[in-house]
Amino acid sequence: MYAKELILITGTKETRKTLVEQLTEVIGDFVHIHDFSLEETIPHVFTDKLIILSSSAIVDEAAPYIGEGCKVVVAKRTVNFQNIDKLLFLPDNTQVLYVNDAPETVYESVETLLQLGINHIDYIPFYPGKKHVPDIEIAITPGEVSLVPAFVKKVVNIGPRLIDLITVITILQHLNLLEKKGDIVSEKYIRKIIDLSKKLSHTTRQSDQLNKHLKQVLDGVNDGILAVTPSGIITVFNENLIAMLGLNTTKTVGRHLSDVFRNHELVSFVLNDSEEESRWFTLFQADVIVHRFHVSTEESIVATFKNAHETIELEKSFRRELIRKGYIAKYTFQDIRGNSERVVKTKEIASKIAKTNLTVLIEGESGTGKELYASAIHNASLRESGPFLAVNFSALPDDLVESELFGYEEGAFTGAKKGGKIGLFEQANGGTIFLDEIGDTSLKLQARLLRVLQEKELMRIGGNKIIPIDVRVIAATNKNLIRMIEQGTFREDLYHRLKILYIHLPELRNRKEDIPALIEHFLMQSGRSSIAIMPEVMEHLLGYQWYGNVRELKNTIDYMLAVCNGQVITADDIPSESFFQRKSPEQQPVREPILLDTGTQATAASPLEIPSDQEEHRFMLEAIHLANQQGVSIGRKTLSEKSGLWKKPLTEQQIRRRLDTLEQQAYVVTNRGRGGIKLTRSGLDYLRALEGTT
Ligand SMILES: Nc1ncnc2c1ncn2[C@@H]1O[C@H](COP(=O)(O)OP(=O)(O)OP(=O)(O)O)[C@@H](O)[C@H]1O
């Protein structure tokens, strides 16, 4: 039991919480504090109690609850010094609104803050009803956040003001505790202030260390770095700049720029008001590129000084290194030949895409020029001077691709190189990575790729450090990714991450008017532009289906150039049929097969190939078609059951194999878990053809 007690009444709940916490801390060991706020409910009228009111502003409102025999103390309040450190981080001369509920409390608090030495800020008083308030971005308030005007962008809440020491002493007097407890209480009060100064000195120490560290970093930079105030007073001047300018003094910070720089043109260039600019200067017998920009939040101007000769050499050697590694994009849009409407349109779209920094998915059959376009996009983008790396997923085993792409730390696995390895993503930093044949990646790798695309950072294999990367991804595929999603072999989320921008490259057989221009281009490339092609050869070439697209055409030209006699290519030089690529079953059409029930055309292998087990196919397609029409789901199990009623029962295994064949031909699409198997438009054509033959 406490020998003594008091009643604390405040205006708001927030103030009640702050004050009861404060009082409990200083006198709570020997005084029982009952706390109430006018914002909440006060249960009854108090009699014979010591009542502490949080401010004179609530005297009238609290009066009905104060009965006979009560002693009332109206608390004097002072700024909550525990939160003052928040104000110390505001830059000098920052204009702030000081917001509180009444003019008196505002002026009182500002006065206290100034007396406490927090005088580097320009306080503009604000309270409800105040007129002509300037549009200021920062407000400070002792807990009255709701009163802050809407135009303020940042609010620094230093918390409700605390009861001052004098009031605490008065309370003790009223409770006849001053003699016994006065020393303890003032000691506690002072300890709080000492804690604050400890906190501040710790912060100062930390910022000293940070400054020292920053200075080391700045001095370690190979360039000269200068920062000045708009009036020209130097605030940063690193060691390299001293060396670059051949100065023999290190006392530069705090002086005016024109006292340190003899070159007046340079001084006026640095202090120029315009936004951002670079210029050459000859300083101390060396050519220097000075780049100047304004940091408006800091009200300062920064200039970097680069040795021009070194910069050019560095860039040259960087480019040489890229070429040596093959990390350079060879082609530009000018290298893409063809005047057909489709090519002109595709190039137009691709060059618009190049200007963005977004991920691109290029779809097209093999040999349509996916790598060519990726390279041209890179060369027309802002990343043009960065690396361009191409990774072909179909050419590499999964584990190798993973370590090539993401790199690894030393000891990550048996055989890992000493010192680890930087992955291609890291090597492509600042440039573009071309992920060719993305459809050939494993699900595990897809998950890792997805993470890189989402987070723009990676972790090396066996590593624990997050490495941020700035790489544009261009992916390409000749597979039908939508079909792969349906089959569960390609992640849908990755597909959408890749297909932010999209290019479909037209098949050569659908734009045969480009063939003459392409032939001319390949003849030029091989240095044989004067060679003549007989009209019948041209006719022949125009008649082919070119399932291997432009690559196949190029190979054919190369072949004919190798075998022809003299300066003319004749019909004798045309390769035999077996030279040409016939459409293979695994080369799926790249346009998405659209299901029949959406009523749109699906693409499939054409011309229709009738497989040997036609009867079984007909049975299965009919059953699928019927189920689709009736809107019921159909799967392997049902098909196998139905085949029992048919003349030839088929096991689920047999059904699966036949379904795989039908799916490869794009006649059906299997939707695992969702709606079962669906017939495509070309599946229906095939069924009709079967019905005509069987
Ligand atoms: N429009 C074009 N103009 C000139 N050359 C082209 C054109 N399209 C493709 N080529 C050439 O055809 C060849 C194949 O192109 P590329 O390697 O870019 O195709 P791809 O679609 O990436 O093939 P794959 O899918 O097999 O990797 C290259 O030699 C390329 O330079």
Side-chain angles (χ1 to χ4, degrees):
M1 278 293 286
Y2 296 95
K4 309 279 179 178
E5 60 178 354
L6 63 79
I7 310 292
L8 170 70
I9 301 180
T10 68
T12 67
K13 185 172 153 192
E14 195 189 352
T15 310
R16 175 179 64 73
K17 280 192 191 154
T18 308
L19 297 192
V20 78
E21 191 184 318
Q22 183 202 3
L23 285 179
T24 308
E25 209 170 312
V26 281
I27 59 173
D29 287 346
F30 38 87
V31 180
H32 193 183
I33 303 154
H34 306 272
D35 53 315
F36 303 93
S37 81
L38 293 166
E39 210 175 61
E40 300 157 304
T41 42
I42 299 184
H44 51 258
V45 179
F46 301 105
T47 51
D48 300 320
K49 292 281 186 296
L50 173 63
I51 312 269
I52 314 300
L53 298 182
S54 63
S55 81
S56 55
I58 65 162
V59 170
D60 290 346
E61 229 183 306
Y65 305 102
I66 303 171
E68 273 180 29
C70 285
K71 282 184 246 169
V72 177
V73 173
V74 177
K76 277 202 168 36
R77 309 259 300 279
T78 184
V79 169
N80 190 337
F81 45 76
Q82 292 181 56
N83 292 325
I84 282 178
D85 54 334
K86 290 187 186 170
L87 306 186
L88 296 177
F89 293 106
L90 293 173
D92 282 359
N93 302 321
T94 309
Q95 281 206 324
V96 296
L97 280 191
Y98 191 93
V99 180
N100 209 346
D101 54 355
E104 309 81 63
T105 54
V106 171
Y107 289 108
E108 228 175 74
S109 305
V110 169
E111 190 53 42
T112 317
L113 283 170
L114 291 173
Q115 275 175 10
L116 283 170
I118 317 291
N119 52 9
H120 66 292
I121 313 172
D122 196 358
Y123 303 98
I124 316 282
F126 180 83
Y127 41 84
K130 171 94 194 270
K131 300 222 166 58
H132 313 299
V133 188
D135 209 349
I136 287 175
E137 292 193 352
I138 304 177
I140 298 172
T141 180
E144 299 287 1
V145 179
S146 60
L147 301 180
V148 175
F151 57 76
V152 169
K153 294 200 178 104
K154 182 179 165 195
V155 180
V156 182
N157 184 358
I158 53 172
R161 293 178 310 148
L162 299 178
I163 293 173
D164 76 351
L165 185 58
I166 308 283
T167 309
V168 177
I169 300 286
T170 314
I171 294 171
L172 292 181
Q173 251 172 356
H174 279 294
L175 296 172
N176 287 326
L177 287 169
L178 187 59
E179 216 172 303
K180 261 206 240 153
K181 305 287 183 186
D183 285 354
I184 306 175
V185 168
S186 59
E187 205 180 280
K188 276 190 180 168
Y189 217 93
I190 288 168
R191 205 180 308 141
K192 279 252 129 212
I193 293 175
I194 291 175
D195 280 350
L196 171 72
S197 62
K198 267 195 200 154
K199 189 166 148 191
L200 291 181
S201 78
H202 177 69
T203 316
T204 321
R205 249 196 339 267
Q206 270 186 333
S207 82
D208 276 355
Q209 272 171 359
L210 187 66
N211 274 341
K212 239 198 216 143
H213 178 67
L214 275 180
K215 185 168 168 10
Q216 280 167 354
V217 172
L218 286 175
D219 287 342
V221 173
N222 213 12
D223 302 330
I225 297 174
L226 165 78
V228 291
T229 63
S231 61
I233 303 298
I234 299 170
T235 52
V236 174
F237 203 103
N238 75 342
E239 274 181 9
N240 228 307
L241 187 56
I242 294 176
M244 271 176 139
L245 299 175
L247 299 178
N248 47 17
T249 172
T250 47
K251 284 202 191 104
T252 46
V253 172
R255 291 170 69 189
H256 194 274
L257 202 54
S258 50
D259 291 345
V260 178
F261 284 3
R262 298 279 161 264
N263 188 327
H264 298 301
E265 242 182 90
L266 177 62
V267 173
S268 46
F269 171 76
V270 172
L271 296 180
N272 196 305
D273 271 348
S274 68
E275 263 308 287
E276 200 170 333
E277 207 179 339
S278 292
R279 236 172 90 179
W280 284 65
F281 285 92
T282 304
L283 305 173
F284 197 55
Q285 289 153 5
D287 285 334
V288 174
I289 305 166
V290 184
H291 178 73
R292 179 215 60 228
F293 57 97
H294 287 244
V295 185
S296 55
T297 47
E298 296 291 315
E299 288 242 346
S300 79
I301 305 167
V302 177
T304 59
F305 295 66
K306 280 182 189 293
N307 181 307
H309 178 69
E310 278 175 19
T311 309
I312 293 167
E313 273 312 304
L314 200 73
E315 263 176 29
K316 271 195 201 155
S317 76
F318 178 58
R319 264 194 105 67
R320 271 199 299 270
E321 180 67 0
L322 290 180
I323 295 169
R324 191 184 66 74
K325 289 184 170 170
Y327 294 174
I328 203 111
K330 284 188 284 223
Y331 303 106
T332 66
F333 281 116
Q334 277 162 3
D335 297 308
I336 301 176
R337 297 304 161 104
N339 299 315
S340 64
E341 208 185 316
R342 287 175 190 227
V343 166
V344 172
K345 187 88 200 141
T346 312
K347 273 170 75 172
E348 200 182 298
I349 293 171
S351 44
K352 282 186 188 151
I353 281 176
K355 299 288 173 247
T356 74
N357 206 14
L358 301 169
T359 306
V360 190
L361 178 66
I362 307 178
E363 282 187 342
E365 285 183 6
S366 188
T368 45
K370 294 186 290 295
E371 180 156 3
L372 184 68
Y373 272 85
S375 167
I377 289 173
H378 170 82
N379 274 336
S381 74
L382 288 172
R383 296 171 174 266
E384 155 207 37
S385 54
F388 173 82
L389 267 82
V391 190
N392 189 318
F393 288 103
S394 68
L396 297 166
D398 210 42
D399 282 348
L400 195 57
V401 173
E402 200 171 344
S403 62
E404 283 294 320
L405 276 183
F406 303 106
Y408 53 79
E409 294 297 346
E410 187 173 330
F413 47 83
T414 337
K417 253 203 315 202
K418 203 154 178 267
K421 182 180 161 123
I422 303 179
L424 295 175
F425 263 113
E426 275 179 76
Q427 293 185 49
N429 228 346
T432 307
I433 195 161
F434 175 54
L435 308 178
D436 202 2
E437 311 292 6
I438 190 87
D440 287 353
T441 45
S442 68
L443 285 168
K444 180 175 158 219
L445 201 62
Q446 288 172 28
R448 279 198 83 147
L449 284 172
L450 180 71
R451 224 166 302 135
V452 173
L453 287 171
Q454 276 170 340
E455 316 293 340
K456 303 238 172 296
E457 56 190 28
L458 56 82
M459 213 185 266
R460 290 188 194 162
I461 299 170
N464 53 12
K465 213 170 62 196
I466 301 277
I467 303 167
I469 49 149
D470 166 30
V471 175
R472 182 186 197 177
V473 173
I474 303 182
T477 182
N478 60 14
K479 293 245 162 70
N480 186 330
L481 295 184
I482 290 285
R483 167 117 31 85
M484 292 182 67
I485 293 170
E486 305 276 359
Q487 291 168 340
T489 51
F490 200 83
R491 291 181 66 120
E492 190 167 359
D493 41 8
L494 177 61
Y495 176 75
H496 293 297
R497 276 273 164 189
L498 293 171
K499 202 178 174 178
I500 293 177
L501 296 175
Y502 168 75
I503 303 173
H504 174 83
L505 296 188
E507 302 76 27
L508 186 57
R509 61 184 168 283
N510 294 328
R511 51 177 179 103
K512 288 193 181 163
E513 61 270 42
D514 287 334
I515 291 177
L518 285 166
I519 293 176
E520 195 187 319
H521 174 64
F522 295 138
L523 291 179
M524 283 257 289
Q525 259 188 352
S526 52
R528 310 274 298 270
S529 51
S530 58
I531 214 151
I533 297 183
M534 294 302 280
E536 62 270 26
V537 177
M538 195 54 108
E539 211 173 295
H540 214 94
L541 298 180
L542 286 169
Y544 269 117
Q545 285 307 296
W546 299 113
Y547 288 122
N549 291 293
V550 185
R551 178 180 293 111
E552 188 177 28
L553 176 65
K554 184 177 184 319
N555 292 347
T556 307
I557 300 296
D558 287 345
Y559 173 91
M560 294 194 298
L561 283 175
V563 299
C564 73
N565 290 319
Q567 284 299 305
V568 186
I569 294 179
T570 66
D572 288 346
D573 303 323
I574 298 173
S576 67
E577 272 297 306
S578 60
F579 179 90
F580 293 100
Q581 184 177 329
R582 247 160 295 157
K583 192 165 186 178
S584 58
E586 66 276 6
Q587 188 185 333
Q588 296 299 331
V590 293
R591 271 168 290 148
E592 307 167 4
I594 300 155
L595 300 182
L596 261 184
D597 41 5
T598 64
T600 345
Q601 177 74 47
T603 52
S606 61
L608 294 177
E609 290 157 50
I610 314 280
S612 54
D613 7 34
Q614 291 171 341
E615 273 195 336
E616 291 163 12
H617 285 174
R618 182 179 161 181
F619 153 73
M620 286 170 61
L621 294 176
E622 265 171 354
I624 295 166
H625 185 40
L626 189 69
N628 288 174
Q629 276 182 328
Q630 294 170 343
V632 292
S633 167
I634 185 159
R636 286 203 300 265
K637 194 158 174 265
T638 327
L639 280 171
S640 169
E641 283 164 4
K642 280 186 188 293
S643 72
L645 305 171
W646 182 55
K647 59 181 173 190
K648 187 175 168 192
L650 294 167
T651 63
E652 268 193 63
Q653 277 297 324
Q654 289 169 317
I655 295 277
R656 187 171 58 77
R657 275 199 297 275
R658 282 152 187 75
L659 275 175
D660 283 349
T661 314
L662 290 171
E663 194 158 22
Q664 271 178 8
Q665 303 293 324
Y667 295 148
V668 296
V669 174
T670 47
N671 271 348
R672 220 156 282 153
R674 283 184 286 131
I677 309 158
K678 295 271 160 77
L679 195 68
T680 63
R681 165 77 63 190
S682 46
L684 185 61
D685 290 344
Y686 178 37
L687 177 61
R688 297 283 177 253
L690 287 175
E691 283 168 346
T693 54
T694 55

